[in-house]
Structure formats: C-alpha cells, structure tokens
Amino acid sequence: MYHQPVLKNRRTLLERAEKFISDIYFTDCNLRGRLYGDSCPLVSLTSFLSPKRITFAEASKQNFAPYRIGDTFGPTWWTCWFKVTLKIPESWRGKEVHLLWESDGEAMVWRDGQPVQGLTKEGEKTSYILSDCLKDEEPHSDTLYVEMACNGLFGAGQGSMIAAPDPNKKFSLQRAELVVFNRNVRELLTDFEMLIDIVKELGEGEQRGYQALFTVNEMVNLCDPANSSSFSKVHNLAQKFFNQRNGESQHTVHAMGHCHIDSAWLWPYEETIRKCGRSWVTVIRLMERNPEFVFTCSQAQQFQWVKSWYPGLFSQIQHYVKKGQFIPVGGTWVEMDGNLPSGESMVRQFLEGQRFFNQEFGVHCKEFWLPDTFGYSAQLPQIMQSCGISNFLTQKLSWNLVNTFPHNTFFWEGLDGSKVLTHFPPGNSYEMKGKIEDLVRTVKNNKDKGRANHSAALFGFGDGGGGPTQLMLDRLRRVQDTDGLPKVQTSSPDQLFSRLQSDSALLCTWSGELFLELHNGTYTTQAQIKRGNRQCETLLHDVEIASSLALCQDRTFKYPVKKLQELWRLLLLNQFHDVIPGSCIEMVVEDALRYYEGTVFMTAVLVRVPSVGLSPVKDTQPVTPVSVTVQADGTILMENGILRTVVNKDGTLASLCLINANREAIYDGCHGNQFVMFDDVPLYWDAWDVMDYHLQTRKPVLEVVQPAHVVSSGGLRGSVDFTLRISDKSTVTQEIIMDAMCPYIKFNTEVKWAESHRLLKVEFPVRVHSPNATYEIQFGHLQRPTHRNTSWDWARFEVWGHKWADLSEHNFGVALLNDCKYGYSVHKNTMTLSLLRAPKAPDANADMGIHHFTYAIMPHSGSFQDASVIQCAYNLNFPLRLIQCSPDTVPWSAFSVSSEAVILETVKQAEEQKGALVVRLYESHGSSVTATLHTTLPVREAFHCDLLERQDPTQPADITSQGLTLKFSPFQIVSLLLIL
C-alpha cells in the first residue's frame, strides 16, 4: 500500500487516531464500533425486590415477576434479584459469547448456586463471559441469577459523592442481552490506546513520542474495521513498537493488582461484605485466564466475611494463595486509623490479623499495608517490628495540603528508634488503571531518583471495590519493556521490598510521626464514636485483667476467650479508617454505636471480680478537705490544699494557683476554661477537614443562662455548676469538680448540640513559655512546636493526641487531660481542646444531639513526668470500681512496678497457652530505666515474647524474691509470657 509522506502535524494525526477508537464519534465506521458483533435478546428476564440482603438460597425460592429494560427499582440499599433465562444461537458456534449487562447498581452473577462474576459499570465490568469459543457440546441454554445492589460503587450520595445518601434513589437496568464479543478488536483497541497515550504523555519534546505518533497513524492507514484480515498487520506494527527494548538502567515498576475496599464508608458494613464477594470473585476469574496475575489483598476482617458468606469463593481464594497469586498483605484485622486507636488496640489489630492469616492460609505478612489512613503514629515502627513486620507501604501523605513529603522510599524511624523500610508508590495512588500516564507519573514523581530504582504500581478500581480488569492486565503486558517507558514487571510486595532492601545503602531516614497535613477534623468528628472507642478500650482492658486474676485464683474459672475475641474484633472493626475518624454515613455510625453498646453490656456481665488489686474503703476525712465559698464579687473560690481556683459567673477560671509552688497557671488578663466557637466550612471534605482559616473566625461563648453556683460546698468533693448558651439551638452545662487531694480540676460537661458547620473548643491560656508542647500517643509521647516558624510548623495548627497534652517550661507546666477527645491545638501559650464539630457530609446529622465528656486541667511543678501527669490521665480514664466486700477484707495487689516511668498496660491470657498470662509494659517517660515487676501470682517461669506472643527462649526473664527485673530503653514496649 502506497502512502504519501505527511507533515508532522501532531494535532491532526493524534486526533485522527483518537477518533478511530472513540466510543462517541464515528462509531459507524471506526474500530470501536466493531467491538461487539451480533446480539440476541434474553429468553426471559424476571425480578424480585428485597429490602434486606438475603442469601442466594433464599432469593432463588422467591416469586419473580417479568421485568422490562429501563424500569426503575429501589429504593437505596434494597436489593433487586434478576432471574435470567438465555439461549445462545447455534449460528454463534466458534464465537466468544458474553452476557452484556449495564446498570447503575452493583451486581453479582450467580451460576449453579455460586457467585461467578461482579458487574459494575463504574468499575468497567459490564459483561460476563458465557463461552470463550462456543462449542457444540457446550450447553446453549442456561439460567443465571443476578443480585443487584441498589447502590453504586460509591454509595448513593445526593448530588455529590460524599453527600449524605439519597434514601429514595431509584435504579434501573439499561441493557441486558447476549452479544458476540470480538476479542481481536479489543486487542487492537488496546494497541491503539497505549500508543495514543504514549504520544500524549511523552509530549512534543520526545522523539519516542513522535515515533509512537507515526506508528499509530500508519496503523489507522492499514486497519479496515470491516475486514478482520487486516488486523494482524496492524497488531504486528504495534508489537514492533512495543518490543523495542529499554536500557539496563531504566526504572522498574512492580505492578500489583489491588482492590482497596473500605470496610465501611459511604455504604454500611453489610454492603462491604457483598463488595468483597463481587470484587474477589472477579479477581479469581482473572487468575484463571492470566496465570501471571498477582493480586494483593489486606484486612483479615474482610476475609472472615467472605469465609462466612461465600465459602465456595473462600476455598478458591485459599487455592490461589497457595499458588502465590492471591497475596494476603498488611497483617491487621482492618486497615485501621493510624492516629486514634490506643497502643493496645494497635497491637490487637496485628495479633488478630496475623493469627487469622496464619490459620487460614499459612501466611505471615511481612509488610504493613495502610494506603489510605489519615496519618501514622510514631510508635508504629516498633509495633510493626515486634509483630514480625519490617516493611511498610502507604501513599496518603501525597495528599498533604501544605508541604510535599520529600521521599518515596526511605527508612522510617519510630519513637523508640525502631526502623522499617517504607515505600510510597510515586504514582500517588492505590488504584491505577495500568495506563501510560500511571507509569510515566511513577517515574517522574519518584523523589529518590539515584537512591531507589524500583517502585510499586497498584492497579485496580478501589475504595468502593471493583479491582483490576482484563484491560488493565492487557495494557501492562504490552509495555513490559518498551523503550521510552519504565520497565514493568508483575510482582509481589515481597519481591518489591527485597529489591528495595538490596539497594538501600543510600536511602534516607525520616524520624518521628508521619503527619498528614489534611483531614485533621477526623480527630473530632462523630464524638460519640470517639467516646465509645475510648470506653470500650478501657472496659476490655479491665475485663481481661479481671478474668486473668480470676483464672489465677480459681483454676476452674473459664476465661471468656471466644467472647473477648468477639468484642475485640468488633472494636477493631470500628477502628477502620473511615469509622473511628467519623468520615462515614449515618448508617455506619448507627452500626458502630450499636457495637459499642453491646460491648459495654457484655463487659458489665463479665466483670464480677476485682482488677489489678483490692483495697477496702474506710470512712475517713481528707487531711485537707475541699473548700468552696462564694466571694463578695460573686466569684467562687475553690481550694483543696493543692490547687486554688476562682470561678467566674460564666464558668471561666479567673485564677488557677498551684499552692505549694505559689505559681499562677492562668495567663495575665485571660480566663481559663473559655468556650469558643469557630466557623467550620472546609474546601470539600466536610467530615474530614478543619481548615487553617477557621482560626480567623473565633467567637467566645459569653451568654450565661445559669450563672455559676455552688452544688457541693466541700469535704471530699466540691463542685460548681453553670449553663451557657452557645446559640439559639445549643447550650453547654458544666460541673466544675475539685476532689480532695486531687492535683487536677475536672470539668464534667453536657452539650446540647444542634449546629451547622460550627466547631466548639475550650481554651486555657496559661502562664508557660515553651517552643514545644507534649502530646500522649500510643505507648509514649512526642513533642510538636507551639510556634509557626516554618510551613511544617504552621501545617500542624490542629493535631491529635490521646489522654493528655502538656505545656511545660523548666520546673513548671500545665497538663490538659480528657476522657474521650483527640483534637488539640497549642499555639504559643494557649492550650486548646477541640470538643464538637457539625459537618453535614457524608452524615447530614453528624454529632447532633446530647454529648457528655470530661476534661481536666492540671498545673504542676517540675516536669510532667515527675508530676505524674501520665498516671493522672490513666486515673481519669480508668476510674476505680466499687465492689461489695466484707469489713475484714485484706488489701492486696496482683502487680506493682518499682519505677513510675514504667506503665503496666495489659494483662491477658496467652493466646496459645491456657495456663499462661501475657503482661505488657512500656517505658513512658522517654528514659532508659531498670524496673522490677512484682507479682503475688504463682509464676513458675517467665519469658520475653513479641507482640504476637511468640516466646523467645533465648530471653528468659529472671525471677527473684523481689520479682522480675526488666531493662527498658526510651518508649520500649516489653511483653512477658508468665507461666503459672
């Protein structure tokens, strides 16, 4: 064929090629219009509508009525089951036959009583392959069922993706028919698409881009869409281009199939179970056709769901895990939030996850997999290492609003000095599509060029599930080693990290937390979930200790293993990174609160014995009783020998004095316990973000409904009540409590909250000057700046912490304690606790209602370590429990620790040894210390173990008459296996 030379008119040649494969333009004569051949209607299509998610066995017994294409069904969250009767024409012998299915819901195809394929238009899966090449001996008639969820891949947001769901949305089936699928056309379309994208991505300055342009133009010249005999020449021309190889030094992209499925987000937990089924059965179909395909999959909870709901599919997954294609990753129960769960909760995430993967698949995960959470605690490296994990993958810090994180591959050093090899895929996504732009971006964005020549590319539809498609695999297969592009290899996390580790000599180290400069509203949103989490962490702690001691005192006692595992797994589930942060729809909030309520009830049933020890309470008077008096000016003076405070009529503190040190804590001319309101309108992510500009809208809460008045005038306890009006819709009522001999003042608070896009905080301007404030995190604490010198400092205008924060100068400081809050801000000398938000998406009723919480203020001499701030925060969160006992009961204590720096965090029965306990301690001051753990329990042997409770026989713990002598480095976590 003769062609005239053409000018290098890039636009016309490129647009010509684009139109040749367009699904909009010229489909009557272009290649795209030939993707499907003949079509055939279904024999019959009937449907049945259910308000609940039911099993296939139940659905198949229902009465199905005729359905007409285009008819609507619903509403949101209902399920429409279709019964599909089909007959393939005899004339289609030798053809590839598909059931074409286009709808706006998520669907699962059932065949012979088993799930076989997920279908979702948003996930580019609109057909089910009935036959690759129809043969005479194949059945030409069949009956299938299609389970259609009345929600899309991202729920059913009203007007926008993250808006609250539209409860009355209707859905429809737009197309359902049999078609002949022309595989050779699909292959050619992929050739064209990849070359066109190379032209676009490499740009006008690259010779290789022009080579691709002229190649694709020649392909258009050669291709006759109406004559399939021309296709092979066209394909060969493309292959010639793709097969021109790279040099030895080219960057290598490790392509891994992935399907990030949020365990709940814009849909409820129950729908996630079906998302897993739809996504994973599709992955299995791809593995059957592509033996080189590797798929990574996290979250043991989701595997457990699939095992329970789809046992046949689970067996297939087990088969492909053994083959090395379906790879469980992460080692945790869910992909949890990286900030808010307690240290012990994080340990249990790994304990439950790793044990499940080992029991079901014989697999121990070597990498922590957390691509989509909102920041990462500085204690995670130590926790990872002690769970047998030395590698970490995420990408969320690419979302930073202010500063660009400087690395993609580096060592992350935690609070105690532990290090893990960390990789952020440079493509800044966990749901790539195998396109040229993904590969080019991966190389271009790599911030460690010269240090690391390997990167991950995770491909597959995610968040709402869906996963990889055959098209994605075909794209990547074409460019495994194509000049001008990075090399692409199908890989696994183990292969990736092995290559990164072998070339790690020049990698940099990042020390401390990985703070996400975005989504800081998640420290405060959905306060009831935060409160439920903290309460249940506390209750499970107490139940485990009580059960352990009951076991020691009575060997016939049955430790509630199954019930505790069930309660822990529910708590861990609610720590998923869109549930505990509060960035989920109202249905999920209701589920989460119901799980918390169940835990509170069950732990109340389980706790019938004392916890760590017992001490009879006698009716004695304090050395210095509390005094509460009304002053002449109407203010109220409260004093207990340690603290003296003056309460104004509006409940603010005019003064707070540490008596022995004669130090005033409240800054001159200011008031402590000042409630303040802010406008809280983010740029987009409503439940997620508190923006910096909210600080410009500060308004003190000043309207007094009921002035401060004395409720209890002293003795063991003195208290003052008051009520303020926040707005015409909201009020705050507070009881200020001073207890005898207590070094802090408590503020028991009730807020009736009915705001919209407002943020309530409480402020304490204190007489302390320091460039840094200290915040409790998991198993330790860290410092953050109180100034805004750099953009990195300024970006931390709202930060997270756990039970306490402290601002100290030499020999004096003030600590702010709480029982269920996580959002803090300390700027210069003002300590602020964030209390309530009022976002409207994705939950239109987020935080509306009545809230109860407690915080406390504690001025102290010396350092916060020496002043026992850490112990006081524990006391606030773990109150003493009253039980009935006889008058002659002897006080006793099961455990004591010689050093105040060491916290005894956990006592539980060992997972694998019924006659053994696991005791977990950590160094809390940031010091190297030797401590003695004394116990009255009958301990025969003691060994060090890791967080998975694997005994280290090389590290026995020496038991003496004084107890067990233990050495700690700063913030070290130590776990012991005590053999009784």
Side-chain angles (χ1 to χ4, degrees):
M1 187 181 295
Y2 176 74
H3 298 293
Q4 290 287 340
V6 295
L7 295 173
K8 290 184 178 180
N9 189 325
R10 185 173 182 273
R11 176 186 169 184
T12 58
L13 298 189
L14 177 58
E15 195 166 327
R16 179 197 188 199
E18 289 177 319
K19 294 295 194 297
F20 192 67
I21 63 170
S22 171
D23 59 359
I24 299 174
Y25 303 102
F26 310 116
T27 55
D28 62 321
C29 60
N30 73 4
L31 186 61
R32 175 74 65 173
R34 304 289 173 147
L35 182 59
Y36 296 109
D38 294 339
S39 64
C40 173
L42 302 174
V43 174
S44 70
L45 180 63
T46 56
S47 68
F48 155 73
L49 195 60
S50 170
K52 296 181 179 180
R53 299 171 181 88
I54 59 176
T55 64
F56 171 81
E58 186 178 350
S60 61
K61 296 175 184 176
Q62 304 302 315
N63 294 320
F64 286 74
Y67 176 83
R68 185 175 59 189
I69 297 295
D71 284 353
T72 60
F73 51 86
T76 309
W77 310 124
W78 283 43
T79 300
C80 191
W81 284 84
F82 291 90
K83 187 175 182 179
V84 180
T85 305
L86 59 88
K87 184 176 182 180
I88 305 172
E90 296 289 338
S91 60
W92 288 7
R93 187 183 303 110
K95 305 285 182 66
E96 183 172 338
V97 183
H98 289 198
L99 168 64
L100 195 62
W101 189 276
E102 293 185 6
S103 72
D104 47 6
E106 290 190 88
M108 171 84 91
V109 181
W110 291 81
R111 193 174 194 176
D112 300 326
Q114 292 296 320
V116 292
Q117 176 71 51
L119 296 173
T120 166
K121 195 171 183 180
E122 294 168 286
E124 297 180 4
K125 299 177 183 70
T126 56
S127 67
Y128 169 58
I129 301 174
L130 294 167
S131 177
D132 289 313
C133 182
L134 188 65
K135 300 180 177 63
D136 287 337
E137 60 269 23
E138 286 185 80
H140 285 43
S141 298
D142 206 347
T143 298
L144 309 176
Y145 289 84
V146 178
E147 178 189 11
M148 176 75 70
C150 293
N151 54 263
L153 206 58
F154 290 90
Q158 191 165 13
S160 75
M161 181 184 75
I162 65 167
D166 179 357
N168 301 309
K169 186 173 182 179
K170 295 290 185 175
F171 296 78
S172 67
L173 175 60
Q174 296 93 39
R175 194 173 180 186
E177 60 186 347
L178 303 184
V179 295
V180 171
F181 183 78
N182 294 320
R183 179 69 59 181
N184 54 358
V185 173
R186 175 71 271 173
E187 294 293 331
L188 268 192
L189 287 170
T190 306
D191 290 338
F192 273 100
E193 177 205 307
M194 296 296 279
L195 284 162
I196 289 168
D197 285 352
I198 289 173
V199 176
K200 291 179 178 178
E201 293 300 322
L202 295 190
E204 296 188 48
E206 291 285 338
Q207 176 177 308
R208 189 64 171 154
Y210 274 101
Q211 291 173 353
L213 178 65
F214 277 77
T215 298
V216 77
N217 185 66
E218 188 65 14
M219 287 167 62
V220 177
N221 291 334
L222 287 173
C223 186
D224 179 0
N227 181 6
S228 61
S229 65
S230 69
F231 291 178
S232 63
K233 288 184 179 179
V234 180
H235 181 65
N236 289 339
L237 196 58
Q239 287 302 111
K240 181 180 177 182
F241 180 93
F242 293 136
N243 289 336
Q244 292 173 330
R245 305 301 183 198
N246 266 303
E248 290 285 325
S249 64
Q250 185 58 274
H251 190 89
T252 299
V253 172
H254 292 248
M256 306 174 211
H258 189 50
C259 179
H260 180 69
I261 303 178
D262 288 322
S263 290
W265 181 29
L266 304 176
W267 52 87
Y269 284 128
E270 270 199 7
E271 191 56 43
T272 306
I273 299 172
R274 299 201 296 188
K275 284 177 176 287
C276 293
R278 290 187 288 260
S279 302
W280 295 358
V281 76
T282 305
V283 166
I284 296 298
R285 297 289 85 82
L286 288 174
M287 288 179 176
E288 292 170 348
R289 297 170 177 275
N290 304 270
E292 81 286 357
F293 172 46
V294 171
F295 178 75
T296 57
C297 193
S298 64
Q299 305 194 75
Q301 170 69 85
Q302 295 183 3
F303 283 90
Q304 176 64 54
W305 281 334
V306 169
K307 181 183 179 183
S308 298
W309 283 57
Y310 307 103
L313 171 58
F314 189 76
S315 295
Q316 295 176 61
I317 290 171
Q318 288 178 312
H319 169 72
Y320 281 100
V321 169
K322 287 182 181 178
K323 291 186 69 174
Q325 287 182 257
F326 203 114
I327 303 178
V329 295
T332 50
W333 190 245
V334 297
E335 288 187 11
M336 72 280 195
D337 181 83
N339 300 325
L340 307 185
S342 69
E344 188 60 30
S345 289
M346 285 190 166
V347 170
R348 300 306 175 90
Q349 288 283 356
F350 286 98
L351 181 65
E352 290 295 329
Q354 291 283 43
R355 281 174 56 80
F356 180 90
F357 288 139
N358 185 54
Q359 290 167 0
E360 299 294 340
F361 306 114
V363 167
H364 179 91
C365 299
K366 299 178 183 177
E367 67 294 306
F368 183 33
W369 196 272
L370 198 60
D372 189 33
T373 198
F374 312 144
Y376 307 88
S377 166
Q379 269 293 25
L380 275 169
Q382 181 179 188
I383 294 172
M384 281 186 250
Q385 285 285 11
S386 195
C387 292
I389 290 175
S390 54
N391 304 312
F392 176 44
L393 183 143
T394 186
Q395 63 81 48
K396 198 66 177 185
L397 260 66
S398 65
W399 285 46
N400 269 9
L401 191 63
V402 180
N403 299 285
T404 300
F405 193 79
H407 302 295
N408 287 101
T409 304
F410 59 99
F411 286 103
W412 180 22
E413 182 179 67
L415 199 62
D416 74 316
S418 298
K419 290 184 180 181
V420 290
L421 178 58
T422 300
H423 182 65
F424 296 174
N428 297 337
S429 174
Y430 49 76
E431 51 170 339
M432 292 180 169
K433 305 301 183 289
K435 292 190 171 185
I436 297 299
E437 64 180 294
D438 297 331
L439 304 177
V440 170
R441 189 168 68 243
T442 293
V443 176
K444 182 179 179 180
N445 289 357
N446 180 21
K447 301 181 187 69
D448 295 284
K449 295 180 179 75
R451 285 191 286 261
N453 207 28
H454 294 260
S455 296
L458 310 180
F459 64 95
F461 287 95
D463 288 330
T469 65
Q470 184 63 53
L471 177 56
M472 296 176 194
L473 293 170
D474 292 342
R475 288 168 179 158
L476 293 168
R477 192 176 287 130
R478 277 163 172 73
V479 291
Q480 292 179 55
D481 191 359
T482 297
D483 184 27
L485 299 174
K487 294 180 180 180
V488 178
Q489 70 176 59
T490 300
S491 189
S492 67
D494 193 46
Q495 288 175 290
L496 168 69
F497 281 107
S498 293
R499 289 306 306 262
L500 294 176
Q501 185 68 54
S502 66
D503 298 330
S504 62
L506 297 178
L507 294 182
C508 299
T509 296
W510 181 273
S511 183
E513 68 180 327
L514 295 174
F515 184 86
L516 177 65
E517 297 173 357
L518 198 70
H519 293 0
N520 43 20
T522 61
Y523 316 149
T524 306
T525 304
Q526 298 287 9
Q528 300 285 27
I529 287 182
K530 268 77 169 174
R531 185 170 185 255
N533 177 75
R534 185 80 67 84
Q535 284 182 336
C536 290
E537 287 177 335
T538 301
L539 288 168
L540 287 173
H541 165 277
D542 288 355
V543 170
E544 286 187 328
I545 293 181
S547 299
S548 297
L549 299 189
L551 182 67
C552 294
Q553 293 178 344
D554 181 1
R555 287 305 181 94
T556 64
F557 174 79
K558 291 186 178 180
Y559 192 93
V561 175
K562 289 186 178 180
K563 179 52 67 175
L564 279 172
Q565 183 184 67
E566 176 189 335
L567 295 177
W568 264 112
R569 285 182 171 184
L570 286 175
L571 177 62
L572 300 179
L573 173 60
N574 278 349
Q575 290 174 348
F576 178 74
H577 64 252
D578 276 309
V579 180
I580 189 173
S583 50
C584 51
I585 62 173
E586 189 171 12
M587 292 176 72
V588 179
V589 176
E590 292 168 353
D591 284 343
L593 296 180
R594 189 172 69 252
Y595 293 162
Y596 290 137
E597 288 167 5
T599 299
V600 170
F601 174 76
M602 285 308 304
T603 52
V605 172
L606 292 171
V607 177
R608 297 183 180 277
V609 291
S611 186
V612 180
L614 180 73
S615 181
V617 178
K618 298 179 180 179
D619 186 12
T620 56
Q621 292 300 312
V623 175
T624 306
V626 177
S627 170
V628 181
T629 55
V630 178
Q631 306 297 292
D633 60 359
T635 61
I636 300 172
L637 177 66
M638 306 177 74
E639 188 171 353
N640 69 354
I642 300 174
L643 302 174
R644 182 192 308 119
T645 189
V646 177
V647 181
N648 293 318
K649 292 181 181 180
D650 62 358
T652 58
L653 305 187
S655 171
L656 176 59
C657 181
L658 185 63
I659 295 174
N660 287 345
N662 194 28
R663 287 289 301 261
E664 172 60 51
I666 303 299
Y667 194 71
D668 296 347
C670 297
H671 294 158
N673 197 41
Q674 176 68 65
F675 289 102
V676 286
M677 288 284 282
F678 298 85
D679 295 341
D680 186 16
V681 185
L683 297 175
Y684 176 71
W685 297 101
D686 201 354
W688 291 260
D689 290 347
V690 171
M691 306 307 298
D692 56 338
Y693 51 75
H694 88 278
L695 295 169
Q696 302 172 41
T697 66
R698 177 183 179 276
K699 298 179 184 68
V701 177
L702 300 174
E703 185 178 349
V704 178
V705 176
Q706 184 175 32
H709 59 280
V710 177
V711 175
S712 174
S713 59
L716 287 173
R717 168 172 288 185
S719 64
V720 170
D721 266 16
F722 67 93
T723 299
L724 303 178
R725 189 179 309 283
I726 296 171
S727 71
D728 58 350
K729 300 176 182 178
S730 306
T731 59
V732 55
T733 298
Q734 194 169 69
E735 181 184 20
I736 302 176
I737 296 174
M738 178 178 280
D739 287 333
M741 308 305 295
C742 183
Y744 55 82
I745 296 174
K746 290 192 297 186
F747 302 86
N748 287 354
T749 312
E750 177 185 275
V751 179
K752 295 178 180 177
W753 185 248
E755 298 299 309
S756 178
H757 292 112
R758 307 288 298 281
L759 171 57
L760 176 66
K761 302 184 183 184
V762 66
E763 294 177 345
F764 289 89
V766 297
R767 197 177 291 185
V768 176
H769 181 74
S770 176
N772 295 296
T774 307
Y775 303 83
E776 187 196 36
I777 67 167
Q778 298 83 358
F779 298 124
H781 59 264
L782 51 72
Q783 290 190 330
R784 300 186 182 107
T786 59
H787 54 75
R788 295 175 185 164
N789 284 357
T790 70
S791 60
W792 294 88
D793 304 327
W794 168 70
R796 301 186 185 201
F797 58 86
E798 180 84 2
V799 298
W800 65 273
H802 282 203
K803 298 185 292 293
W804 59 269
D806 183 84
L807 182 64
S808 289
E809 59 191 36
H810 177 66
N811 212 34
F812 181 74
V814 178
L816 185 56
L817 322 177
N818 77 83
D819 72 344
C820 62
K821 299 299 175 185
Y822 295 90
Y824 293 89
S825 171
V826 181
H827 181 223
K828 296 184 178 178
N829 67 319
T830 300
M831 306 180 73
T832 306
L833 187 66
S834 294
L835 303 176
L836 291 170
R837 296 189 69 220
K840 300 303 172 186
D843 177 3
N845 298 306
D847 282 314
M848 298 299 98
I850 298 175
H851 297 266
H852 294 95
F853 49 85
T854 298
Y855 55 87
I857 193 76
M858 178 180 171
H860 59 83
S861 296
S863 67
F864 68 85
Q865 293 98 327
D866 293 340
S868 299
V869 165
I870 300 169
Q871 284 79 1
C872 287
Y874 268 93
N875 292 343
L876 183 67
N877 282 267
F878 293 80
L880 295 174
R881 298 181 183 275
L882 294 176
I883 64 170
Q884 293 289 339
C885 62
S886 61
D888 57 348
T889 300
V890 178
W892 66 275
S893 174
F895 293 97
S896 62
V897 184
S898 64
S899 171
E900 283 199 4
V902 175
I903 302 291
L904 173 59
E905 179 71 22
T906 300
V907 180
K908 64 181 288 288
Q909 180 175 271
E911 297 290 327
E912 301 293 342
Q913 299 185 48
K914 289 186 177 180
L917 299 180
V918 169
V919 175
R920 190 155 15 259
L921 311 96
Y922 73 96
E923 197 287 319
S924 66
H925 286 183
S927 60
S928 295
V929 65
T930 299
T932 300
L933 173 66
H934 177 73
T935 179
T936 57
L937 304 182
V939 177
R940 291 189 294 109
E941 291 182 283
F943 292 89
H944 287 268
C945 63
D946 64 10
L947 295 179
L948 300 183
E949 303 182 9
R950 298 177 296 189
Q951 179 178 323
D952 186 349
T954 65
Q955 286 196 63
D958 296 330
I959 305 175
T960 67
S961 58
Q962 301 300 313
L964 286 78
T965 301
L966 305 170
K967 291 185 177 180
F968 291 83
S969 57
F971 304 117
Q972 183 182 0
I973 307 164
V974 170
S975 297
L976 300 171
L977 194 63
L978 305 183
I979 313 299
L980 303 175

